Amino acid sequence: MSNYIRKGIVAFIAIVAAIALLMPYKGMAAGMSLEKVSESPIGEGTSLLKYRHVINGKASNVFVTRVNLNNPYVEVGPIYGTGGKLTVRQNVKKMADERGAIAAINADFFRMDRKGTPFGIVLDKGKLVSSMGKINNWYSFGLLNDKTAIVSHLGFNGTVQAPDGTTAIIQGVNKEEYNPTNDKSHLNKINLYTSDFGATSLGAIKGYEDAVEILVVNDRVKDMRIGNPVGYSIPQGGYVLWGHGVGKQYLLSHFKVNDPVTVTLQTTTDFPVGDRELYSAVGGHMLLVKDGKALTKIPSDSIGGNQPRTAFGVSQDGKTLYMVVVEGPNKSRGVTLDELAQLMLKLGAYNAANLDGGGSTTMVARYPGDTQTTLLNTPKLGAAMRAVPTGLAVFNTAPAGEFANFLFTNGSKGVVGQPITLTVKAYDNHYNPYTLNPADITWTANPADGTFNKNVFTPKRSGTITVTGEYRGVKKSLNLSITAPEVTDIIVSPSPLALRSGGQTSFSVSLKTKSGQVISASPGMVKTSLTAGLGTLQGFTIQAGQTSKSGELVVTYNNIVRKVPVTVGTRWSFWTNADNLTTLSYHTIPASISTNGSFRQTTDGEPVKASGKALRLAYNFEGSSNVDMRFAYGRFGSSPLLMPGQPLGMKLWVYGDNSLHWLRAELVDAKGKTHYVDLAKQIDWTDWKEIEASFPAGVAYPVALKSLYVVDEEDSTLEPQGTVYFDEISLEYPANTAPVTPPPAPANPTGFTDIKGHWAEATLIEMYKKGIVSGITPTKLGPSVAVTRGQFVTFMDRAFGWTKNNPAKAQSPFKDKLPDYAKASILAAVEKGIVSGFDDGTFKADAPISRAQMAVMMHNAIKKGYGNANKPATLSPSFKDASSFPAYAVESIRFLSERGYVSGDANGGFGPNRTANRAESLVVLDRLMKSF
């Protein structure tokens, strides 16, 4: 669901729900059918079902997790955030695996343009993680302490009491700004934040810059701040009271440091719970089924029509839970909310409610024997799983039990003489994973069919061969399909082989068949021999001798012989220093922290090993979660640096920062395959140190150096920032090869003197050669010169050829005169709907173009087919100056920045009103052309 839809969803639903006519449903409508495709247990009291749901001839896949809450080993509750932090969203699979769930679905609605706290409740085993939003007509999942599931409209009451006995209302717990029914969540309100919210409290956010925050520890005021932009780091057991307007005045006038604070928080329910208590809960949406009747004309907010949907339902006694996902486009029809209500009733729900659907719809489950969950449905339009704040999950709390069953996990195809490793997964009598070493299974087969070495089977003949495994009375058989292809050639890789003295090198052998198929061979399938004195041969591994020597490796299959030259001994040859490496760029994962670092040549006073320059990689991983790995890349321009000859390895001088981060190099070979080379597992030194690394076997030459980069590993506690320097790169070659002369530094072919070393030099040269831009003088291209509106449209025309053979014929609609050089281009762009003028009827071709105007023109061009409109959004930039974006350009800036066409500046802003220069405009246009 788009963030724009989510922003208005709460207020919209409150209005529509109040007037909606909810009619009971009495049976499956004509043209509908529901067929069970499969059903299997996945845990104690938990079964996974799949249905085929057909409406008017169009089918949808329906996935159901059915849970028996009477089972003592079943537990149901919310999953949320990452590491217990609500605002660190992740997808449902990651949340489920982190908590050890056996099945899970996405739950609540949230704002995608914020950190993403849910609108509804998160109650985890009695702990209130996030209060229920004050939204009428939304229903939540609840679990009482007697393990009865309910569908209920939940509410929240909160108060804070001051030392003078006065009280004030607490609007919510751990909420970002949202629109409650007939109210505002933070305007003139007090909200409370705990350590479950995230790394810090809410702080002074946009529109509430003067809000006050009071840090409370051990129920006493520890600190108070007004306009705190970063928020407090909240200790366990502490909390923050956030106040604005009237709420702010109450907090400031009734509390001071060291005062005691009393807070009361209560969740209410419209379900008659008696003496029971609400134990767990997660927010939902509109009611679908009430007291055994499917509702109709259910408000669908702005997400109407046939969509992927997520829902939950409970049986009449509250002891059976149904977690349901309906798959949507592109593999299924999807359903409307009314159709979802009918489906939930048919599945057995007595009461049911909708959950967040669309692109958030996700169901994962852990199959017996697996240790992690598997995604069941295809997300909307085949997109990746969306990061969401909450989910509803099922847990199997049974202790480790006795072995129950095992399943084969290896493939069933093989080749005569090629060993097949039989692998399995197993589970116990509670459906928990059971550790079973396949070598402990008793394996048998007909002796004429092949032989076993523990769980490794080597077939002797072609055809179907049955192998059988037995463990603790459980016997399973697997039919193997074995072929005996007609081999015409032997392929050895790498070839030739170059070995370091005393080093060890492995090679691979493949057999090419008459039909063109390439089969990976094992040592038992071929015969091998090595020239005496080169070293020893064990399987497909050579242990080289200490003496430099040349010879050959001989590989034989039947009557086919392949001889591979082998050389023992290598030498090093200097390749390049940093003096001529100027087309450098900096990239990160996640991309949102790319403004925190840089990759460039050194300047005066910075470390240099030799010659004139070194390379400086400054990185800072702050601003991103340390749960996943983080990367800072120093890349060598748009094209990697091609290495001469066939090098075996590289070494370079590195000035370390003692950060203990992982240092690697990224190579691209002749087949376009990326190879990663470990330079240092830890940067544990300062000053200059020469680092040596070998290239992986199987590199296809020629090979090129794409980047040098720093890695911050998962759950890192290392210092997040640092700086390393690189200089003097040498390459390793076989000793018997002639020295390779490094290629000369490319000269600037254009003759322009003002772009040497410029960050956009390569692009500027490329655009000049294509005739898109000309110099401002014979020796200057003017990369920093401002671009006018007319010039930018002319650049676009030259890039896409609008007027090349078809000059625009329309008359100018503008009051002001268009310059002759740009007139045809502007009129062509107007005809195509790509540009327009100002409200006063002028175009202002000679006025400097702002970055916002440039973004709108680019976006319009993409929508008209001049660019890739289907390029997926891979970035989530957050610009500090987003509040200053002109309304007409907000959508265009967002679309382009999420897809990497445009980026911000070093200060974290976009600069929408800043004039674009020639370098900027040509770089973004180049990106547009290359996506076209």
Side-chain angles (χ1 to χ4, degrees):
M1 179 178 293
S2 78
N3 52 336
Y4 302 106
I5 291 170
R6 293 177 190 275
K7 287 181 182 179
I9 190 172
V10 180
F12 182 86
I13 286 297
I15 295 170
V16 176
I19 63 174
L21 177 63
L22 301 180
M23 300 288 291
Y25 166 73
K26 298 183 179 180
M28 288 288 280
M32 290 188 181
S33 66
L34 185 65
E35 175 190 356
K36 185 192 294 185
V37 176
S38 62
E39 178 177 351
S40 60
I42 58 172
E44 284 282 357
T46 306
S47 295
L48 181 65
L49 302 91
K50 183 178 179 181
Y51 292 87
R52 186 173 185 266
H53 187 213
V54 179
I55 302 177
N56 295 327
K58 294 184 178 180
S60 294
N61 295 320
V62 179
F63 301 90
V64 180
T65 300
R66 188 180 64 209
V67 186
N68 177 9
L69 295 171
N70 287 314
N71 189 297
Y73 294 127
V74 164
E75 186 174 283
V76 177
I79 51 177
Y80 52 92
T82 302
K85 302 300 182 183
L86 188 62
T87 54
V88 187
R89 287 184 286 147
Q90 57 180 338
N91 65 49
V92 172
K93 173 175 169 50
K94 288 183 177 180
M95 286 194 291
D97 291 341
E98 180 183 302
R99 292 285 297 272
I102 61 171
I105 56 176
N106 62 294
D108 213 335
F109 285 69
F110 62 100
R111 286 184 62 162
M112 292 179 66
D113 62 331
R114 301 288 174 94
K115 293 180 180 178
T117 54
F119 294 161
I121 188 172
V122 180
L123 180 68
D124 189 9
K125 299 179 183 178
K127 175 185 177 182
L128 185 62
V129 177
S130 183
S131 61
M132 180 62 209
K134 296 188 176 182
I135 309 170
N136 297 340
N137 302 305
W138 278 29
Y139 286 77
S140 302
F141 165 83
L143 187 72
L144 305 181
N145 57 353
D146 67 346
K147 293 182 69 174
T148 297
I150 63 173
V151 181
S152 176
H153 176 66
L154 302 180
F156 170 74
N157 296 317
T159 60
V160 54
Q161 180 175 323
D164 60 7
T166 61
T167 62
I169 293 174
I170 295 175
Q171 171 76 6
V173 176
N174 290 335
K175 293 295 183 190
E176 292 182 283
E177 186 184 16
Y178 70 101
N179 294 331
T181 305
N182 304 321
D183 204 352
K184 295 287 185 182
S185 65
H186 285 64
L187 184 68
N188 292 314
K189 301 294 191 302
I190 296 172
N191 280 268
L192 185 146
Y193 296 89
T194 71
S195 58
D196 296 318
F197 180 70
T200 64
S201 59
L202 184 65
I205 61 173
K206 180 184 176 182
Y208 302 90
E209 289 83 1
D210 62 343
V212 65
E213 287 195 320
I214 296 179
L215 177 62
V216 181
V217 179
N218 297 325
D219 296 321
R220 286 189 176 273
V221 177
K222 183 176 181 180
D223 192 31
M224 305 173 68
R225 295 180 191 173
I226 298 175
N228 181 15
V230 297
Y232 283 107
S233 178
I234 308 173
Q236 288 291 332
Y239 56 89
V240 166
L241 292 170
W242 182 101
H244 172 265
V246 176
K248 170 184 176 181
Q249 293 307 314
Y250 175 82
L251 294 176
L252 290 176
S253 60
H254 289 79
F255 291 99
K256 62 181 183 298
V257 174
N258 291 324
D259 276 355
V261 185
T262 302
V263 164
T264 303
L265 309 175
Q266 179 188 24
T267 298
T268 62
T269 174
D270 66 352
F271 187 91
V273 299
D275 59 356
R276 297 172 295 180
E277 295 179 356
L278 190 64
Y279 182 65
S280 292
V282 65
H285 187 224
M286 303 302 295
L287 195 63
L288 298 173
V289 179
K290 181 175 176 62
D291 297 336
K293 297 177 181 179
L295 306 181
T296 62
K297 296 184 180 180
I298 302 169
S300 59
D301 55 73
S302 299
I303 310 299
N306 301 330
Q307 296 286 342
R309 305 283 182 181
T310 309
F312 74 94
V314 300
S315 59
Q316 186 170 2
D317 64 359
K319 293 300 182 179
T320 302
L321 170 66
Y322 303 91
M323 296 161 52
V324 179
V325 154
V326 181
E327 197 171 60
N330 55 354
K331 288 192 174 182
S332 289
R333 172 188 182 272
V335 292
T336 65
L337 283 181
D338 282 14
E339 292 167 349
L340 181 61
Q342 298 168 17
L343 173 63
M344 295 302 294
L345 181 66
K346 186 70 174 178
L347 290 172
Y350 188 74
N351 290 291
N354 182 52
L355 295 170
D356 190 8
S360 296
T361 289
T362 308
M363 180 181 284
V364 298
R366 193 180 76 191
Y367 291 111
D370 288 345
T371 57
Q372 292 191 332
T373 58
T374 297
L375 174 65
L376 302 181
N377 66 297
T378 299
K380 186 176 181 181
L381 301 178
M385 283 184 282
R386 176 176 288 168
V388 297
T390 59
L392 177 60
V394 185
F395 302 88
N396 184 355
T397 63
E402 297 295 323
F403 166 79
N405 201 357
F406 71 89
L407 305 168
F408 290 101
T409 57
N410 56 278
S412 61
K413 294 182 178 181
V415 177
V416 173
Q418 184 179 42
I420 300 171
T421 300
L422 299 174
T423 57
V424 301
K425 63 180 180 181
Y427 56 93
D428 66 18
N429 57 316
H430 295 303
Y431 298 99
N432 286 317
Y434 182 91
T435 301
L436 174 59
N437 185 345
D440 294 336
I441 297 174
T442 301
W443 297 101
T444 57
N446 189 322
D449 292 340
T451 58
F452 270 106
N453 180 10
K454 294 184 178 180
N455 61 308
V456 179
F457 177 70
T458 303
K460 294 180 179 179
R461 67 169 181 85
S462 60
T464 300
I465 295 177
T466 300
V467 295
T468 301
E470 184 173 359
Y471 183 79
R472 295 189 181 180
V474 175
K475 183 180 292 187
K476 291 291 179 70
S477 295
L478 176 67
N479 290 329
L480 300 174
S481 179
I482 308 301
T483 59
E486 184 178 348
V487 175
T488 59
D489 196 7
I490 302 173
I491 304 169
V492 181
S493 181
S495 178
L497 282 164
L499 289 71
R500 295 177 180 86
S501 299
Q504 192 177 81
T505 298
S506 296
F507 58 93
S508 65
V509 177
S510 300
L511 305 177
K512 186 174 182 180
T513 69
K514 186 176 182 179
S515 64
Q517 182 183 10
V518 177
I519 301 170
S520 178
S522 62
M525 296 175 66
V526 297
K527 295 179 180 180
T528 57
S529 62
L530 189 66
T531 300
L534 290 177
T536 58
L537 184 61
Q538 182 68 39
F540 289 165
T541 300
I542 300 175
Q543 177 66 52
Q546 297 294 334
T547 304
S548 295
K549 184 179 176 65
S550 297
E552 61 185 15
L553 167 71
V554 180
V555 182
T556 305
Y557 180 85
N558 292 338
N559 296 322
I560 302 172
V561 178
R562 182 68 57 228
K563 297 181 179 180
V564 177
V566 179
T567 302
V568 175
T570 61
R571 60 169 185 80
W572 289 94
S573 178
F574 173 74
W575 176 38
T576 188
N577 55 33
D579 292 6
N580 297 313
L581 304 179
T582 57
T583 56
L584 309 173
S585 60
Y586 180 71
H587 301 265
T588 63
I589 297 177
S592 58
I593 59 171
S594 60
T595 57
N596 294 357
S598 62
F599 186 51
R600 61 169 172 80
Q601 286 183 315
T602 54
T603 58
D604 291 344
E606 293 178 324
V608 176
K609 175 58 182 175
S611 63
K613 302 280 187 181
L615 300 178
R616 177 184 184 271
L617 176 62
Y619 58 91
N620 187 346
F621 299 116
E622 288 184 327
S624 61
S625 170
N626 68 340
V627 173
D628 296 317
M629 298 177 74
R630 299 178 286 186
F631 305 82
Y633 295 88
R635 289 192 174 155
F636 296 95
S638 57
S639 299
L641 296 178
L642 189 65
M643 297 178 175
Q646 298 185 5
L648 307 176
M650 63 181 290
K651 63 181 178 182
L652 73 165
W653 286 91
V654 180
Y655 192 99
D657 58 4
N658 203 34
S659 64
L660 303 183
H661 287 297
W662 188 6
L663 182 63
R664 308 189 86 193
E666 188 178 19
L667 307 179
V668 179
D669 71 11
K671 295 181 179 179
K673 182 179 179 180
T674 300
H675 300 269
Y676 302 99
V677 177
D678 286 338
L679 299 175
K681 194 61 180 174
Q682 291 185 329
I683 306 175
D684 56 1
W685 70 92
T686 56
D687 211 333
W688 288 105
K689 177 180 179 181
E690 193 169 30
I691 305 300
E692 180 180 322
S694 301
F695 293 167
V699 169
Y701 294 102
V703 67
L705 178 62
K706 183 176 182 180
S707 65
L708 301 169
Y709 66 104
V710 173
V711 183
D712 186 52
E713 297 196 76
E714 295 175 349
D715 301 319
S716 170
T717 58
L718 300 176
E719 181 67 29
Q721 57 185 315
T723 303
V724 290
Y725 299 83
F726 309 100
D727 206 353
E728 301 290 299
I729 306 177
S730 297
L731 301 176
E732 185 180 19
Y733 295 94
N736 63 344
T737 59
V740 178
T741 303
N748 181 351
T750 64
F752 296 125
T753 60
D754 59 346
I755 63 173
K756 181 65 176 177
H758 191 277
W759 63 271
E761 180 182 7
T763 301
L764 293 173
I765 293 173
E766 183 179 358
M767 299 296 264
Y768 171 80
K769 289 181 176 180
K770 290 179 178 178
I772 294 172
V773 66
S774 302
I776 58 176
T777 73
T779 59
K780 294 186 181 298
L781 192 62
S784 300
V785 173
V787 174
T788 67
R789 289 167 53 83
Q791 289 169 347
F792 186 70
V793 176
T794 303
F795 290 163
M796 295 179 74
D797 180 16
R798 293 171 181 170
F800 298 112
W802 296 335
T803 62
K804 186 175 182 180
N805 297 310
N806 185 29
K809 299 176 182 178
Q811 295 295 317
S812 173
F814 304 113
K815 293 179 181 179
D816 56 338
K817 186 180 184 301
L818 300 179
D820 291 339
Y821 80 91
K823 183 176 181 179
S825 298
I826 293 171
L827 294 181
V830 170
E831 285 181 351
K832 296 178 183 297
I834 293 171
V835 301
S836 59
F838 293 88
D839 291 341
D840 62 0
T842 63
F843 184 80
K844 300 179 183 178
D846 295 325
I849 190 170
S850 70
R851 284 168 55 81
Q853 293 170 358
M854 181 174 68
V856 172
M857 291 183 188
M858 288 180 63
H859 192 193
N860 288 341
I862 291 173
K863 289 187 285 188
K864 297 299 180 180
Y866 300 99
N868 183 4
N870 297 318
K871 184 176 182 180
T874 58
L875 308 175
S876 300
S878 177
F879 299 113
K880 294 180 180 178
D881 56 356
S883 61
S884 65
F885 290 1
Y888 70 84
V890 170
E891 172 63 15
S892 296
I893 296 172
R894 180 192 64 80
F895 179 93
L896 296 174
S897 59
E898 287 179 349
R899 289 157 178 80
Y901 290 111
V902 297
S903 56
D905 56 36
N907 297 318
F910 180 78
N913 301 314
R914 179 170 59 80
T915 299
N917 60 38
R918 285 161 66 88
E920 287 176 309
S921 63
L922 290 166
V923 166
V924 297
L925 185 55
D926 178 64
R927 293 170 182 166
L928 187 63
M929 292 168 62
K930 289 177 178 174
S931 75
F932 180 48

